[in-house]
mmCIF file with all atom_site columns, all heavy atoms in Angstrom:
data_model
loop_
_atom_site.group_PDB
_atom_site.id
_atom_site.type_symbol
_atom_site.label_atom_id
_atom_site.label_alt_id
_atom_site.label_comp_id
_atom_site.label_asym_id
_atom_site.label_entity_id
_atom_site.label_seq_id
_atom_site.pdbx_PDB_ins_code
_atom_site.Cartn_x
_atom_site.Cartn_y
_atom_site.Cartn_z
_atom_site.occupancy
_atom_site.B_iso_or_equiv
_atom_site.pdbx_formal_charge
_atom_site.auth_seq_id
_atom_site.auth_comp_id
_atom_site.auth_asym_id
_atom_site.auth_atom_id
_atom_site.pdbx_PDB_model_num
ATOM 1   N N   . GLY R 1 1  ? -13.368 8.264  -0.099  1.00 76.00 ? 117 GLY R N   1
ATOM 2   C CA  . GLY R 1 1  ? -13.992 7.169  0.643   1.00 76.00 ? 117 GLY R CA  1
ATOM 3   C C   . GLY R 1 1  ? -13.505 5.809  0.213   1.00 76.00 ? 117 GLY R C   1
ATOM 4   O O   . GLY R 1 1  ? -13.164 4.964  1.049   1.00 76.00 ? 117 GLY R O   1
ATOM 5   N N   . THR R 1 2  ? -13.434 5.581  -1.097  1.00 72.00 ? 118 THR R N   1
ATOM 6   C CA  . THR R 1 2  ? -13.031 4.252  -1.583  1.00 72.00 ? 118 THR R CA  1
ATOM 7   C C   . THR R 1 2  ? -11.516 4.063  -1.547  1.00 72.00 ? 118 THR R C   1
ATOM 8   O O   . THR R 1 2  ? -11.032 2.932  -1.530  1.00 72.00 ? 118 THR R O   1
ATOM 9   C CB  . THR R 1 2  ? -13.538 4.021  -3.022  1.00 72.00 ? 118 THR R CB  1
ATOM 10  O OG1 . THR R 1 2  ? -13.126 5.117  -3.858  1.00 72.00 ? 118 THR R OG1 1
ATOM 11  C CG2 . THR R 1 2  ? -15.052 3.914  -3.042  1.00 72.00 ? 118 THR R CG2 1
ATOM 12  N N   . ALA R 1 3  ? -10.744 5.164  -1.555  1.00 74.00 ? 119 ALA R N   1
ATOM 13  C CA  . ALA R 1 3  ? -9.285  5.045  -1.512  1.00 74.00 ? 119 ALA R CA  1
ATOM 14  C C   . ALA R 1 3  ? -8.747  4.999  -0.085  1.00 74.00 ? 119 ALA R C   1
ATOM 15  O O   . ALA R 1 3  ? -7.601  4.594  0.121   1.00 74.00 ? 119 ALA R O   1
ATOM 16  C CB  . ALA R 1 3  ? -8.635  6.212  -2.255  1.00 74.00 ? 119 ALA R CB  1
ATOM 17  N N   . LEU R 1 4  ? -9.558  5.408  0.885   1.00 69.00 ? 120 LEU R N   1
ATOM 18  C CA  . LEU R 1 4  ? -9.089  5.423  2.267   1.00 69.00 ? 120 LEU R CA  1
ATOM 19  C C   . LEU R 1 4  ? -8.644  4.045  2.762   1.00 69.00 ? 120 LEU R C   1
ATOM 20  O O   . LEU R 1 4  ? -7.563  3.925  3.358   1.00 69.00 ? 120 LEU R O   1
ATOM 21  C CB  . LEU R 1 4  ? -10.177 6.002  3.176   1.00 69.00 ? 120 LEU R CB  1
ATOM 22  C CG  . LEU R 1 4  ? -9.813  6.151  4.656   1.00 69.00 ? 120 LEU R CG  1
ATOM 23  C CD1 . LEU R 1 4  ? -8.617  7.091  4.821   1.00 69.00 ? 120 LEU R CD1 1
ATOM 24  C CD2 . LEU R 1 4  ? -11.008 6.675  5.452   1.00 69.00 ? 120 LEU R CD2 1
ATOM 25  N N   . PRO R 1 5  ? -9.437  2.976  2.522   1.00 64.00 ? 121 PRO R N   1
ATOM 26  C CA  . PRO R 1 5  ? -8.980  1.655  2.967   1.00 64.00 ? 121 PRO R CA  1
ATOM 27  C C   . PRO R 1 5  ? -7.645  1.254  2.352   1.00 64.00 ? 121 PRO R C   1
ATOM 28  O O   . PRO R 1 5  ? -6.791  0.662  3.034   1.00 64.00 ? 121 PRO R O   1
ATOM 29  C CB  . PRO R 1 5  ? -10.110 0.717  2.505   1.00 64.00 ? 121 PRO R CB  1
ATOM 30  C CG  . PRO R 1 5  ? -11.312 1.597  2.411   1.00 64.00 ? 121 PRO R CG  1
ATOM 31  C CD  . PRO R 1 5  ? -10.786 2.917  1.948   1.00 64.00 ? 121 PRO R CD  1
ATOM 32  N N   . GLU R 1 6  ? -7.437  1.574  1.069   1.00 67.00 ? 122 GLU R N   1
ATOM 33  C CA  . GLU R 1 6  ? -6.177  1.218  0.419   1.00 67.00 ? 122 GLU R CA  1
ATOM 34  C C   . GLU R 1 6  ? -5.009  1.981  1.028   1.00 67.00 ? 122 GLU R C   1
ATOM 35  O O   . GLU R 1 6  ? -3.911  1.434  1.195   1.00 67.00 ? 122 GLU R O   1
ATOM 36  C CB  . GLU R 1 6  ? -6.262  1.531  -1.080  1.00 67.00 ? 122 GLU R CB  1
ATOM 37  C CG  . GLU R 1 6  ? -7.371  0.784  -1.799  1.00 67.00 ? 122 GLU R CG  1
ATOM 38  C CD  . GLU R 1 6  ? -7.883  1.573  -2.982  1.00 67.00 ? 122 GLU R CD  1
ATOM 39  O OE1 . GLU R 1 6  ? -7.076  2.276  -3.598  1.00 67.00 ? 122 GLU R OE1 1
ATOM 40  O OE2 . GLU R 1 6  ? -9.079  1.474  -3.296  1.00 67.00 ? 122 GLU R OE2 1
ATOM 41  N N   . SER R 1 7  ? -5.244  3.252  1.380   1.00 72.00 ? 123 SER R N   1
ATOM 42  C CA  . SER R 1 7  ? -4.190  4.048  2.001   1.00 72.00 ? 123 SER R CA  1
ATOM 43  C C   . SER R 1 7  ? -3.822  3.484  3.367   1.00 72.00 ? 123 SER R C   1
ATOM 44  O O   . SER R 1 7  ? -2.642  3.478  3.756   1.00 72.00 ? 123 SER R O   1
ATOM 45  C CB  . SER R 1 7  ? -4.643  5.510  2.133   1.00 72.00 ? 123 SER R CB  1
ATOM 46  O OG  . SER R 1 7  ? -4.893  6.079  0.861   1.00 72.00 ? 123 SER R OG  1
ATOM 47  N N   . ILE R 1 8  ? -4.831  2.992  4.092   1.00 69.00 ? 124 ILE R N   1
ATOM 48  C CA  . ILE R 1 8  ? -4.575  2.379  5.400   1.00 69.00 ? 124 ILE R CA  1
ATOM 49  C C   . ILE R 1 8  ? -3.755  1.101  5.228   1.00 69.00 ? 124 ILE R C   1
ATOM 50  O O   . ILE R 1 8  ? -2.804  0.841  5.967   1.00 69.00 ? 124 ILE R O   1
ATOM 51  C CB  . ILE R 1 8  ? -5.896  2.090  6.131   1.00 69.00 ? 124 ILE R CB  1
ATOM 52  C CG1 . ILE R 1 8  ? -6.592  3.400  6.489   1.00 69.00 ? 124 ILE R CG1 1
ATOM 53  C CG2 . ILE R 1 8  ? -5.643  1.270  7.397   1.00 69.00 ? 124 ILE R CG2 1
ATOM 54  C CD1 . ILE R 1 8  ? -7.985  3.222  7.064   1.00 69.00 ? 124 ILE R CD1 1
ATOM 55  N N   . ILE R 1 9  ? -4.122  0.300  4.207   1.00 67.00 ? 125 ILE R N   1
ATOM 56  C CA  . ILE R 1 9  ? -3.386  -0.933 3.931   1.00 67.00 ? 125 ILE R CA  1
ATOM 57  C C   . ILE R 1 9  ? -1.927  -0.611 3.587   1.00 67.00 ? 125 ILE R C   1
ATOM 58  O O   . ILE R 1 9  ? -0.996  -1.270 4.056   1.00 67.00 ? 125 ILE R O   1
ATOM 59  C CB  . ILE R 1 9  ? -4.048  -1.711 2.777   1.00 67.00 ? 125 ILE R CB  1
ATOM 60  C CG1 . ILE R 1 9  ? -5.426  -2.242 3.224   1.00 67.00 ? 125 ILE R CG1 1
ATOM 61  C CG2 . ILE R 1 9  ? -3.170  -2.868 2.313   1.00 67.00 ? 125 ILE R CG2 1
ATOM 62  C CD1 . ILE R 1 9  ? -6.241  -2.836 2.100   1.00 67.00 ? 125 ILE R CD1 1
ATOM 63  N N   . THR R 1 10 ? -1.715  0.427  2.776   1.00 69.00 ? 126 THR R N   1
ATOM 64  C CA  . THR R 1 10 ? -0.357  0.830  2.412   1.00 69.00 ? 126 THR R CA  1
ATOM 65  C C   . THR R 1 10 ? 0.419   1.273  3.649   1.00 69.00 ? 126 THR R C   1
ATOM 66  O O   . THR R 1 10 ? 1.590   0.926  3.819   1.00 69.00 ? 126 THR R O   1
ATOM 67  C CB  . THR R 1 10 ? -0.402  1.977  1.380   1.00 69.00 ? 126 THR R CB  1
ATOM 68  O OG1 . THR R 1 10 ? -1.106  1.545  0.220   1.00 69.00 ? 126 THR R OG1 1
ATOM 69  C CG2 . THR R 1 10 ? 1.010   2.387  0.974   1.00 69.00 ? 126 THR R CG2 1
ATOM 70  N N   . LEU R 1 11 ? -0.231  2.052  4.534   1.00 70.00 ? 127 LEU R N   1
ATOM 71  C CA  . LEU R 1 11 ? 0.424   2.516  5.751   1.00 70.00 ? 127 LEU R CA  1
ATOM 72  C C   . LEU R 1 11 ? 0.867   1.341  6.626   1.00 70.00 ? 127 LEU R C   1
ATOM 73  O O   . LEU R 1 11 ? 2.006   1.309  7.107   1.00 70.00 ? 127 LEU R O   1
ATOM 74  C CB  . LEU R 1 11 ? -0.519  3.428  6.542   1.00 70.00 ? 127 LEU R CB  1
ATOM 75  C CG  . LEU R 1 11 ? -0.004  3.917  7.902   1.00 70.00 ? 127 LEU R CG  1
ATOM 76  C CD1 . LEU R 1 11 ? 1.260   4.753  7.720   1.00 70.00 ? 127 LEU R CD1 1
ATOM 77  C CD2 . LEU R 1 11 ? -1.084  4.722  8.624   1.00 70.00 ? 127 LEU R CD2 1
ATOM 78  N N   . VAL R 1 12 ? -0.025  0.374  6.798   1.00 66.00 ? 128 VAL R N   1
ATOM 79  C CA  . VAL R 1 12 ? 0.305   -0.808 7.605   1.00 66.00 ? 128 VAL R CA  1
ATOM 80  C C   . VAL R 1 12 ? 1.472   -1.562 6.975   1.00 66.00 ? 128 VAL R C   1
ATOM 81  O O   . VAL R 1 12 ? 2.383   -2.028 7.673   1.00 66.00 ? 128 VAL R O   1
ATOM 82  C CB  . VAL R 1 12 ? -0.923  -1.721 7.755   1.00 66.00 ? 128 VAL R CB  1
ATOM 83  C CG1 . VAL R 1 12 ? -0.535  -3.044 8.419   1.00 66.00 ? 128 VAL R CG1 1
ATOM 84  C CG2 . VAL R 1 12 ? -2.012  -1.026 8.567   1.00 66.00 ? 128 VAL R CG2 1
ATOM 85  N N   . ALA R 1 13 ? 1.464   -1.664 5.647   1.00 63.00 ? 129 ALA R N   1
ATOM 86  C CA  . ALA R 1 13 ? 2.512   -2.415 4.944   1.00 63.00 ? 129 ALA R CA  1
ATOM 87  C C   . ALA R 1 13 ? 3.875   -1.741 5.084   1.00 63.00 ? 129 ALA R C   1
ATOM 88  O O   . ALA R 1 13 ? 4.875   -2.388 5.399   1.00 63.00 ? 129 ALA R O   1
ATOM 89  C CB  . ALA R 1 13 ? 2.145   -2.587 3.478   1.00 63.00 ? 129 ALA R CB  1
ATOM 90  N N   . VAL R 1 14 ? 3.927   -0.429 4.843   1.00 63.00 ? 130 VAL R N   1
ATOM 91  C CA  . VAL R 1 14 ? 5.229   0.253  4.860   1.00 63.00 ? 130 VAL R CA  1
ATOM 92  C C   . VAL R 1 14 ? 5.779   0.393  6.274   1.00 63.00 ? 130 VAL R C   1
ATOM 93  O O   . VAL R 1 14 ? 6.993   0.566  6.464   1.00 63.00 ? 130 VAL R O   1
ATOM 94  C CB  . VAL R 1 14 ? 5.154   1.640  4.180   1.00 63.00 ? 130 VAL R CB  1
ATOM 95  C CG1 . VAL R 1 14 ? 4.766   1.499  2.720   1.00 63.00 ? 130 VAL R CG1 1
ATOM 96  C CG2 . VAL R 1 14 ? 4.203   2.575  4.920   1.00 63.00 ? 130 VAL R CG2 1
ATOM 97  N N   . LEU R 1 15 ? 4.918   0.322  7.281   1.00 68.00 ? 131 LEU R N   1
ATOM 98  C CA  . LEU R 1 15 ? 5.386   0.388  8.664   1.00 68.00 ? 131 LEU R CA  1
ATOM 99  C C   . LEU R 1 15 ? 5.798   -0.975 9.197   1.00 68.00 ? 131 LEU R C   1
ATOM 100 O O   . LEU R 1 15 ? 6.293   -1.086 10.319  1.00 68.00 ? 131 LEU R O   1
ATOM 101 C CB  . LEU R 1 15 ? 4.298   0.986  9.573   1.00 68.00 ? 131 LEU R CB  1
ATOM 102 C CG  . LEU R 1 15 ? 4.009   2.480  9.388   1.00 68.00 ? 131 LEU R CG  1
ATOM 103 C CD1 . LEU R 1 15 ? 2.890   2.919  10.320  1.00 68.00 ? 131 LEU R CD1 1
ATOM 104 C CD2 . LEU R 1 15 ? 5.260   3.322  9.616   1.00 68.00 ? 131 LEU R CD2 1
ATOM 105 N N   . GLY R 1 16 ? 5.572   -2.034 8.397   1.00 62.00 ? 132 GLY R N   1
ATOM 106 C CA  . GLY R 1 16 ? 5.918   -3.386 8.821   1.00 62.00 ? 132 GLY R CA  1
ATOM 107 C C   . GLY R 1 16 ? 7.422   -3.580 8.933   1.00 62.00 ? 132 GLY R C   1
ATOM 108 O O   . GLY R 1 16 ? 8.221   -2.815 8.374   1.00 62.00 ? 132 GLY R O   1
ATOM 109 N N   . ASN R 1 17 ? 7.803   -4.605 9.661   1.00 62.00 ? 133 ASN R N   1
ATOM 110 C CA  . ASN R 1 17 ? 9.229   -4.870 9.891   1.00 62.00 ? 133 ASN R CA  1
ATOM 111 C C   . ASN R 1 17 ? 9.894   -5.614 8.736   1.00 62.00 ? 133 ASN R C   1
ATOM 112 O O   . ASN R 1 17 ? 11.080  -5.452 8.482   1.00 62.00 ? 133 ASN R O   1
ATOM 113 C CB  . ASN R 1 17 ? 9.405   -5.679 11.187  1.00 62.00 ? 133 ASN R CB  1
ATOM 114 C CG  . ASN R 1 17 ? 8.990   -4.882 12.402  1.00 62.00 ? 133 ASN R CG  1
ATOM 115 O OD1 . ASN R 1 17 ? 9.232   -3.680 12.460  1.00 62.00 ? 133 ASN R OD1 1
ATOM 116 N ND2 . ASN R 1 17 ? 8.372   -5.539 13.374  1.00 62.00 ? 133 ASN R ND2 1
ATOM 117 N N   . GLY R 1 18 ? 9.132   -6.433 8.039   1.00 59.00 ? 134 GLY R N   1
ATOM 118 C CA  . GLY R 1 18 ? 9.710   -7.250 6.982   1.00 59.00 ? 134 GLY R CA  1
ATOM 119 C C   . GLY R 1 18 ? 9.868   -6.505 5.674   1.00 59.00 ? 134 GLY R C   1
ATOM 120 O O   . GLY R 1 18 ? 9.090   -5.606 5.354   1.00 59.00 ? 134 GLY R O   1
ATOM 121 N N   . ALA R 1 19 ? 10.897  -6.896 4.913   1.00 57.00 ? 135 ALA R N   1
ATOM 122 C CA  . ALA R 1 19 ? 11.115  -6.295 3.593   1.00 57.00 ? 135 ALA R CA  1
ATOM 123 C C   . ALA R 1 19 ? 9.959   -6.619 2.653   1.00 57.00 ? 135 ALA R C   1
ATOM 124 O O   . ALA R 1 19 ? 9.590   -5.810 1.802   1.00 57.00 ? 135 ALA R O   1
ATOM 125 C CB  . ALA R 1 19 ? 12.428  -6.791 3.002   1.00 57.00 ? 135 ALA R CB  1
ATOM 126 N N   . GLY R 1 20 ? 9.367   -7.811 2.810   1.00 55.00 ? 136 GLY R N   1
ATOM 127 C CA  . GLY R 1 20 ? 8.248   -8.203 1.963   1.00 55.00 ? 136 GLY R CA  1
ATOM 128 C C   . GLY R 1 20 ? 7.051   -7.294 2.138   1.00 55.00 ? 136 GLY R C   1
ATOM 129 O O   . GLY R 1 20 ? 6.381   -6.919 1.166   1.00 55.00 ? 136 GLY R O   1
ATOM 130 N N   . GLN R 1 21 ? 6.777   -6.918 3.401   1.00 56.00 ? 137 GLN R N   1
ATOM 131 C CA  . GLN R 1 21 ? 5.657   -6.026 3.668   1.00 56.00 ? 137 GLN R CA  1
ATOM 132 C C   . GLN R 1 21 ? 5.879   -4.663 3.027   1.00 56.00 ? 137 GLN R C   1
ATOM 133 O O   . GLN R 1 21 ? 4.969   -4.073 2.445   1.00 56.00 ? 137 GLN R O   1
ATOM 134 C CB  . GLN R 1 21 ? 5.456   -5.861 5.175   1.00 56.00 ? 137 GLN R CB  1
ATOM 135 C CG  . GLN R 1 21 ? 4.784   -7.040 5.852   1.00 56.00 ? 137 GLN R CG  1
ATOM 136 C CD  . GLN R 1 21 ? 4.570   -6.762 7.334   1.00 56.00 ? 137 GLN R CD  1
ATOM 137 O OE1 . GLN R 1 21 ? 5.517   -6.651 8.103   1.00 56.00 ? 137 GLN R OE1 1
ATOM 138 N NE2 . GLN R 1 21 ? 3.324   -6.648 7.730   1.00 56.00 ? 137 GLN R NE2 1
ATOM 139 N N   . LYS R 1 22 ? 7.095   -4.148 3.139   1.00 61.00 ? 138 LYS R N   1
ATOM 140 C CA  . LYS R 1 22 ? 7.399   -2.848 2.541   1.00 61.00 ? 138 LYS R CA  1
ATOM 141 C C   . LYS R 1 22 ? 7.277   -2.908 1.013   1.00 61.00 ? 138 LYS R C   1
ATOM 142 O O   . LYS R 1 22 ? 6.815   -1.949 0.381   1.00 61.00 ? 138 LYS R O   1
ATOM 143 C CB  . LYS R 1 22 ? 8.793   -2.391 2.954   1.00 61.00 ? 138 LYS R CB  1
ATOM 144 C CG  . LYS R 1 22 ? 8.913   -2.083 4.450   1.00 61.00 ? 138 LYS R CG  1
ATOM 145 C CD  . LYS R 1 22 ? 10.290  -1.561 4.795   1.00 61.00 ? 138 LYS R CD  1
ATOM 146 C CE  . LYS R 1 22 ? 10.418  -1.289 6.300   1.00 61.00 ? 138 LYS R CE  1
ATOM 147 N NZ  . LYS R 1 22 ? 9.554   -0.188 6.734   1.00 61.00 ? 138 LYS R NZ  1
ATOM 148 N N   . ASP R 1 23 ? 7.675   -4.035 0.424   1.00 65.00 ? 139 ASP R N   1
ATOM 149 C CA  . ASP R 1 23 ? 7.545   -4.203 -1.026  1.00 65.00 ? 139 ASP R CA  1
ATOM 150 C C   . ASP R 1 23 ? 6.072   -4.173 -1.442  1.00 65.00 ? 139 ASP R C   1
ATOM 151 O O   . ASP R 1 23 ? 5.725   -3.620 -2.493  1.00 65.00 ? 139 ASP R O   1
ATOM 152 C CB  . ASP R 1 23 ? 8.179   -5.523 -1.467  1.00 65.00 ? 139 ASP R CB  1
ATOM 153 C CG  . ASP R 1 23 ? 9.700   -5.480 -1.384  1.00 65.00 ? 139 ASP R CG  1
ATOM 154 O OD1 . ASP R 1 23 ? 10.251  -4.362 -1.308  1.00 65.00 ? 139 ASP R OD1 1
ATOM 155 O OD2 . ASP R 1 23 ? 10.324  -6.550 -1.389  1.00 65.00 ? 139 ASP R OD2 1
ATOM 156 N N   . ILE R 1 24 ? 5.222   -4.779 -0.620  1.00 65.00 ? 140 ILE R N   1
ATOM 157 C CA  . ILE R 1 24 ? 3.785   -4.766 -0.906  1.00 65.00 ? 140 ILE R CA  1
ATOM 158 C C   . ILE R 1 24 ? 3.261   -3.331 -0.895  1.00 65.00 ? 140 ILE R C   1
ATOM 159 O O   . ILE R 1 24 ? 2.457   -2.929 -1.740  1.00 65.00 ? 140 ILE R O   1
ATOM 160 C CB  . ILE R 1 24 ? 3.021   -5.629 0.109   1.00 65.00 ? 140 ILE R CB  1
ATOM 161 C CG1 . ILE R 1 24 ? 3.328   -7.112 -0.130  1.00 65.00 ? 140 ILE R CG1 1
ATOM 162 C CG2 . ILE R 1 24 ? 1.511   -5.389 0.007   1.00 65.00 ? 140 ILE R CG2 1
ATOM 163 C CD1 . ILE R 1 24 ? 2.758   -8.041 0.934   1.00 65.00 ? 140 ILE R CD1 1
ATOM 164 N N   . GLY R 1 25 ? 3.739   -2.544 0.083   1.00 67.00 ? 141 GLY R N   1
ATOM 165 C CA  . GLY R 1 25 ? 3.309   -1.149 0.172   1.00 67.00 ? 141 GLY R CA  1
ATOM 166 C C   . GLY R 1 25 ? 3.714   -0.346 -1.048  1.00 67.00 ? 141 GLY R C   1
ATOM 167 O O   . GLY R 1 25 ? 2.920   0.422  -1.595  1.00 67.00 ? 141 GLY R O   1
ATOM 168 N N   . VAL R 1 26 ? 4.967   -0.523 -1.490  1.00 73.00 ? 142 VAL R N   1
ATOM 169 C CA  . VAL R 1 26 ? 5.439   0.188  -2.679  1.00 73.00 ? 142 VAL R CA  1
ATOM 170 C C   . VAL R 1 26 ? 4.693   -0.286 -3.921  1.00 73.00 ? 142 VAL R C   1
ATOM 171 O O   . VAL R 1 26 ? 4.292   0.524  -4.774  1.00 73.00 ? 142 VAL R O   1
ATOM 172 C CB  . VAL R 1 26 ? 6.965   -0.009 -2.859  1.00 73.00 ? 142 VAL R CB  1
ATOM 173 C CG1 . VAL R 1 26 ? 7.439   0.641  -4.157  1.00 73.00 ? 142 VAL R CG1 1
ATOM 174 C CG2 . VAL R 1 26 ? 7.712   0.564  -1.671  1.00 73.00 ? 142 VAL R CG2 1
ATOM 175 N N   . GLY R 1 27 ? 4.463   -1.595 -4.013  1.00 74.00 ? 143 GLY R N   1
ATOM 176 C CA  . GLY R 1 27 ? 3.724   -2.137 -5.155  1.00 74.00 ? 143 GLY R CA  1
ATOM 177 C C   . GLY R 1 27 ? 2.311   -1.603 -5.215  1.00 74.00 ? 143 GLY R C   1
ATOM 178 O O   . GLY R 1 27 ? 1.782   -1.318 -6.302  1.00 74.00 ? 143 GLY R O   1
ATOM 179 N N   . SER R 1 28 ? 1.684   -1.441 -4.061  1.00 73.00 ? 144 SER R N   1
ATOM 180 C CA  . SER R 1 28 ? 0.334   -0.892 -4.011  1.00 73.00 ? 144 SER R CA  1
ATOM 181 C C   . SER R 1 28 ? 0.303   0.546  -4.505  1.00 73.00 ? 144 SER R C   1
ATOM 182 O O   . SER R 1 28 ? -0.620  0.957  -5.212  1.00 73.00 ? 144 SER R O   1
ATOM 183 C CB  . SER R 1 28 ? -0.196  -0.959 -2.571  1.00 73.00 ? 144 SER R CB  1
ATOM 184 O OG  . SER R 1 28 ? -1.453  -0.327 -2.464  1.00 73.00 ? 144 SER R OG  1
ATOM 185 N N   . ALA R 1 29 ? 1.326   1.321  -4.144  1.00 79.00 ? 145 ALA R N   1
ATOM 186 C CA  . ALA R 1 29 ? 1.392   2.726  -4.565  1.00 79.00 ? 145 ALA R CA  1
ATOM 187 C C   . ALA R 1 29 ? 1.570   2.864  -6.073  1.00 79.00 ? 145 ALA R C   1
ATOM 188 O O   . ALA R 1 29 ? 1.167   3.866  -6.665  1.00 79.00 ? 145 ALA R O   1
ATOM 189 C CB  . ALA R 1 29 ? 2.529   3.436  -3.837  1.00 79.00 ? 145 ALA R CB  1
ATOM 190 N N   . LEU R 1 30 ? 2.184   1.854  -6.714  1.00 85.00 ? 146 LEU R N   1
ATOM 191 C CA  . LEU R 1 30 ? 2.366   1.875  -8.174  1.00 85.00 ? 146 LEU R CA  1
ATOM 192 C C   . LEU R 1 30 ? 1.239   1.163  -8.892  1.00 85.00 ? 146 LEU R C   1
ATOM 193 O O   . LEU R 1 30 ? 0.818   1.568  -9.979  1.00 85.00 ? 146 LEU R O   1
ATOM 194 C CB  . LEU R 1 30 ? 3.705   1.228  -8.542  1.00 85.00 ? 146 LEU R CB  1
ATOM 195 C CG  . LEU R 1 30 ? 4.944   2.105  -8.680  1.00 85.00 ? 146 LEU R CG  1
ATOM 196 C CD1 . LEU R 1 30 ? 4.811   3.027  -9.877  1.00 85.00 ? 146 LEU R CD1 1
ATOM 197 C CD2 . LEU R 1 30 ? 5.206   2.911  -7.422  1.00 85.00 ? 146 LEU R CD2 1
ATOM 198 N N   . GLY R 1 31 ? 0.745   0.076  -8.301  1.00 86.00 ? 147 GLY R N   1
ATOM 199 C CA  . GLY R 1 31 ? -0.267  -0.732 -8.974  1.00 86.00 ? 147 GLY R CA  1
ATOM 200 C C   . GLY R 1 31 ? -1.628  -0.066 -9.053  1.00 86.00 ? 147 GLY R C   1
ATOM 201 O O   . GLY R 1 31 ? -2.346  -0.229 -10.042 1.00 86.00 ? 147 GLY R O   1
ATOM 202 N N   . GLY R 1 32 ? -1.994  0.707  -8.014  1.00 87.00 ? 148 GLY R N   1
ATOM 203 C CA  . GLY R 1 32 ? -3.300  1.371  -8.020  1.00 87.00 ? 148 GLY R CA  1
ATOM 204 C C   . GLY R 1 32 ? -3.494  2.305  -9.204  1.00 87.00 ? 148 GLY R C   1
ATOM 205 O O   . GLY R 1 32 ? -4.473  2.188  -9.950  1.00 87.00 ? 148 GLY R O   1
ATOM 206 N N   . PRO R 1 33 ? -2.578  3.267  -9.418  1.00 92.00 ? 149 PRO R N   1
ATOM 207 C CA  . PRO R 1 33 ? -2.721  4.153  -10.577 1.00 92.00 ? 149 PRO R CA  1
ATOM 208 C C   . PRO R 1 33 ? -2.734  3.416  -11.908 1.00 92.00 ? 149 PRO R C   1
ATOM 209 O O   . PRO R 1 33 ? -3.432  3.824  -12.846 1.00 92.00 ? 149 PRO R O   1
ATOM 210 C CB  . PRO R 1 33 ? -1.488  5.063  -10.462 1.00 92.00 ? 149 PRO R CB  1
ATOM 211 C CG  . PRO R 1 33 ? -1.160  5.067  -9.015  1.00 92.00 ? 149 PRO R CG  1
ATOM 212 C CD  . PRO R 1 33 ? -1.475  3.684  -8.531  1.00 92.00 ? 149 PRO R CD  1
ATOM 213 N N   . LEU R 1 34 ? -1.954  2.321  -12.016 1.00 93.00 ? 150 LEU R N   1
ATOM 214 C CA  . LEU R 1 34 ? -1.938  1.547  -13.254 1.00 93.00 ? 150 LEU R CA  1
ATOM 215 C C   . LEU R 1 34 ? -3.320  0.988  -13.565 1.00 93.00 ? 150 LEU R C   1
ATOM 216 O O   . LEU R 1 34 ? -3.810  1.089  -14.706 1.00 93.00 ? 150 LEU R O   1
ATOM 217 C CB  . LEU R 1 34 ? -0.926  0.412  -13.141 1.00 93.00 ? 150 LEU R CB  1
ATOM 218 C CG  . LEU R 1 34 ? -0.942  -0.624 -14.279 1.00 93.00 ? 150 LEU R CG  1
ATOM 219 C CD1 . LEU R 1 34 ? -0.531  0.018  -15.591 1.00 93.00 ? 150 LEU R CD1 1
ATOM 220 C CD2 . LEU R 1 34 ? -0.044  -1.810 -13.944 1.00 93.00 ? 150 LEU R CD2 1
ATOM 221 N N   . VAL R 1 35 ? -3.958  0.403  -12.563 1.00 93.00 ? 151 VAL R N   1
ATOM 222 C CA  . VAL R 1 35 ? -5.290  -0.180 -12.762 1.00 93.00 ? 151 VAL R CA  1
ATOM 223 C C   . VAL R 1 35 ? -6.317  0.894  -13.097 1.00 93.00 ? 151 VAL R C   1
ATOM 224 O O   . VAL R 1 35 ? -7.155  0.718  -13.985 1.00 93.00 ? 151 VAL R O   1
ATOM 225 C CB  . VAL R 1 35 ? -5.717  -0.966 -11.504 1.00 93.00 ? 151 VAL R CB  1
ATOM 226 C CG1 . VAL R 1 35 ? -7.174  -1.388 -11.597 1.00 93.00 ? 151 VAL R CG1 1
ATOM 227 C CG2 . VAL R 1 35 ? -4.834  -2.196 -11.329 1.00 93.00 ? 151 VAL R CG2 1
ATOM 228 N N   . LEU R 1 36 ? -6.246  2.028  -12.421 1.00 94.00 ? 152 LEU R N   1
ATOM 229 C CA  . LEU R 1 36 ? -7.201  3.110  -12.686 1.00 94.00 ? 152 LEU R CA  1
ATOM 230 C C   . LEU R 1 36 ? -7.020  3.686  -14.088 1.00 94.00 ? 152 LEU R C   1
ATOM 231 O O   . LEU R 1 36 ? -7.997  3.971  -14.792 1.00 94.00 ? 152 LEU R O   1
ATOM 232 C CB  . LEU R 1 36 ? -7.039  4.214  -11.638 1.00 94.00 ? 152 LEU R CB  1
ATOM 233 C CG  . LEU R 1 36 ? -7.486  3.855  -10.223 1.00 94.00 ? 152 LEU R CG  1
ATOM 234 C CD1 . LEU R 1 36 ? -7.074  4.942  -9.235  1.00 94.00 ? 152 LEU R CD1 1
ATOM 235 C CD2 . LEU R 1 36 ? -8.992  3.646  -10.154 1.00 94.00 ? 152 LEU R CD2 1
#
């Protein structure tokens, strides 16, 4: 339940056209486990 919104945010980011958006998606996939 609490990870679903983050997964949606990552999906939107990696599907974006800009390189910056894709970087945000990859950073989210690495940053989440680090914080946990």
Side-chain angles (χ1 to χ4, degrees):
T118 53
L120 183 60
E122 300 151 33
S123 298
I124 293 173
I125 292 171
T126 301
L127 176 62
V128 172
V130 298
L131 290 178
N133 294 322
Q137 283 183 293
K138 293 183 182 294
D139 289 343
I140 290 173
V142 176
S144 175
L146 268 293
L150 171 65
V151 171
L152 291 171

